[in-house]
């Protein structure tokens, strides 16, 4: 097979690897791995230029890593003054007809490209037992984005000018893949984010809750759901306008996010209208109830509204088997309903008033009939899709 055919296949493999990525990390790794294989390197890295911090930050290291090189480093970054060639690259000289071309460095100094660079790279090659590297700038949306770096060990042949040219092509393919991943991430973010509050939305909760219950069935992890209804939203809308009502929802969303952060890994979400929730996986039920109590206390202190009605359901309490997301939602919503009816200043917790005979558990199993003149309606999720508001969602968001 000819060299051109091999390189074409390498380009296709890199593009396919990035297209198959589902997350930014997978995309970064696919770019680095593909370039490393295509250039017969032993090590590769992908880095992003953080303009606001004046540094080059490493996103991923693959291949034969040195002791100080993590696959996904948290804090491996280098200031721009250590890399004068990056400064020139950031001036975007290709905009005037040049090109963001790759270049070669060796443990003995520059080769196969412009001379005079780059003492830090040469020192790094020597320190890590590598003989040469090729550095390919990545341009995204017409701007300098970062770089692709591939190295070979000291005993391997030094990269040639043709390798640098090929690295430039690989960097262009990687840039296209990164751009695609960023677009997908933005679509995903919009699909799982509430536009008003910036919290997760109902779709995100449904996905996370299904995953959480799978973990609960597999290893017994405690899964807890806190469902709250903002009191007084309709009154605020009617007397002060919907802009004030939106402000109440935004401020409560901030309080919810703050309280959720007290439980590591907790998802804070707006289910819709005046309904919000926290989904916690791992923390004990008592810890979740403590945070729910803090949430109720802070909500009362908001300038607008009249606090919240809060219900908690946790697999850590005696609520029976929870085999579906719908079951846990019904229990949390039933607890919230009792809190709303009693104007309780603290959360109502399913299963803590008598196990299977607990009034919240009974309410979840057998919702009460709608009372004449009561505008709140019990509405279950679509049994086919599992979508829609919770089974005890309030119909009009009144206070």
């Amino acid at each position: 097979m000819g060299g051109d055919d091999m390189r074409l296949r390498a380009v296709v493999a890199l593009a396919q690897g990035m297209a198959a990525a589902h997350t930014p990390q997978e995309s970064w790794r696919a770019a680095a791995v593909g370039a490393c294989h295509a250039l017969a390197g032993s090590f590769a890295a992908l880095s992003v230029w953080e303009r606001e911090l004046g540094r080059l930050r490493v996103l991923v290291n693959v291949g034969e890593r040195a002791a100080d090189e993590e696959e996904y480093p948290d804090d491996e970054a280098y200031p721009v003054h250590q890399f004068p060639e990056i400064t020139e690259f950031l001036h975007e000289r290709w905009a005037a007809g040049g090109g963001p071309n790759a270049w070669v460095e060796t443990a003995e100094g520059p080769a196969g490209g412009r001379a005079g660079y780059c003492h830090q790279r040469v020192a790094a090659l020597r320190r890590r037992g590598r003989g040469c590297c090729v550095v390919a700038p990545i341009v995204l949306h017409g701007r300098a984005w970062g770089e692709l770096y591939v190295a070979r060990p000291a005993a391997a042949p030094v990269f040639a000018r043709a390798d640098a040219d090929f690295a430039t092509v690989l960097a262009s393919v990687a840039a296209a893949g990164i751009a695609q991943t960023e677009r997908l991430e933005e679509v995903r973010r919009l699909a799982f984010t509430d536009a008003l509050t910036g919290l997760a939305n109902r779709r995100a909760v449904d996905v996370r809750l299904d995953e959480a219950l799978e973990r609960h069935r597999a290893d017994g992890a405690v899964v807890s759901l806190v469902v709250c209804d903002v009191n007084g939203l309709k009154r605020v809308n009617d007397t002060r306008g919907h802009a004030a009502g939106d402000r109440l929802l935004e401020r409560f969303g901030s309080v919810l996010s703050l309280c959720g952060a007290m439980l590591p890994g907790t998802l804070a979400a707006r289910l819709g209208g005046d309904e919000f929730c926290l989904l916690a996986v791992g923390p004990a039920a008592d810890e979740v109830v403590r945070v729910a109590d803090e949430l109720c206390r802070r909500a009362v202190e908001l300038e607008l509204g009249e606090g919240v009605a809060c219900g908690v359901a946790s697999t850590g309490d005696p609520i029976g088997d929870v085999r579906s997301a719908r079951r846990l939602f019904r229990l949390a919503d039933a607890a919230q309903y009792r809190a709303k009816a009693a104007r309780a200043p603290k959360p109502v917790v399913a299963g803590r008033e008598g196990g299977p005979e607990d009034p919240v558990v009974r309410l979840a199993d057998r919702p009460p009939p709608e009372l004449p003149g009561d505008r709140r309606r019990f509405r279950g999720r679509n049994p086919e899709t599992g979508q829609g508001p919770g089974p005890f969602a309030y119909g009009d968001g009144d206070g």
Side-chain angles (χ1 to χ4, degrees), residues 193-200 246 249-254 269-270 276:
T193 303
D194 175 65
L196 177 64
T197 63
L199 300 175
D246 286 349
L249 294 174
E250 289 176 303
R251 290 181 178 176
F252 178 72
S254 297
R270 181 186 178 204
F276 294 77

Side-chain angles (χ1 to χ4, degrees), residues 34-330:
C36 193
H37 289 167
L39 289 163
S42 60
F43 170 85
L46 182 73
S47 304
V48 64
W49 179 250
E50 295 182 331
R51 291 168 181 265
E52 70 281 8
L53 298 176
R55 67 180 190 175
L56 186 74
R57 181 168 64 88
V58 179
L59 299 174
V60 64
N61 293 309
V62 302
E64 298 174 6
R65 292 180 280 123
D68 62 340
E69 292 172 324
E70 298 178 4
E71 183 173 18
Y72 294 108
D74 291 327
D75 56 1
E76 185 181 352
Y78 306 95
V80 67
H81 70 265
Q82 295 182 354
F83 297 90
E85 83 281 9
I86 294 179
T87 305
E88 181 176 335
F89 167 52
L90 290 173
H91 290 162
E92 297 172 355
R93 63 187 183 82
W94 64 85
N101 296 320
W103 67 92
V104 175
E105 300 281 349
T106 78
E108 304 304 320
R114 301 184 305 279
Y117 302 124
C118 165
H119 300 299
Q120 291 295 329
R121 292 194 196 275
V122 172
L125 287 171
R126 293 172 181 170
R127 185 173 67 252
R128 290 163 176 160
R130 294 167 185 151
C132 62
C133 68
V134 59
V135 184
I138 293 178
V139 177
L140 202 62
H141 310 307
R143 300 197 71 189
W145 183 90
E147 69 175 40
L148 193 59
Y149 173 100
V150 180
R152 286 176 178 171
V158 172
F159 288 112
R161 179 67 255 173
D163 294 316
D165 292 340
F166 185 40
T168 299
V169 174
L170 295 173
S172 297
V173 175
I178 292 167
Q180 176 68 11
T181 301
E182 289 185 349
R183 286 192 292 269
L184 291 175
E185 277 297 296
E186 179 64 11
V187 170
R188 188 178 292 113
R189 186 189 67 79
L190 293 174
F192 290 96
T193 303
D194 175 65
L196 177 64
T197 63
L199 300 175
N201 63 13
R202 177 56 185 264
R203 183 180 292 108
V205 173
D206 286 341
V207 171
R208 182 77 67 87
L209 185 53
D210 285 339
E211 294 172 349
L213 289 176
E214 285 183 12
R215 180 179 163 189
H216 170 68
R217 289 187 289 268
D219 60 17
V222 175
V223 180
S224 304
L225 194 63
V226 179
V227 175
C228 12
D229 182 274
V230 178
N231 293 329
L233 176 63
K234 186 175 187 299
R235 189 170 296 108
V236 171
N237 284 334
D238 289 346
T239 60
R240 303 183 65 170
H242 285 272
D246 286 349
R247 191 162 68 252
L248 169 59
L249 294 174
E250 289 176 303
R251 290 181 178 176
F252 178 72
S254 297
V255 170
L256 184 77
S257 179
L258 174 66
C259 290
M262 299 175 185
L263 299 167
T266 292
L267 181 72
R270 181 186 178 204
L271 299 174
D274 54 6
E275 288 198 325
F276 294 77
C277 83
L278 292 174
L279 171 58
V281 184
D286 285 344
E287 281 297 295
V288 176
V289 173
R290 180 186 63 79
V291 168
D293 189 60
E294 178 71 8
L295 176 64
C296 291
R297 185 187 69 78
R298 289 175 179 263
V300 171
E301 296 174 353
L302 290 174
E303 173 190 357
L304 301 170
E306 301 166 12
V308 294
C310 184
V312 182
S314 174
T315 61
D317 283 322
I319 57 176
D321 289 339
V322 177
R323 299 181 178 179
S324 68
R326 185 178 183 187
R327 171 69 175 167
L328 197 63
F329 252 119
R330 288 181 68 86

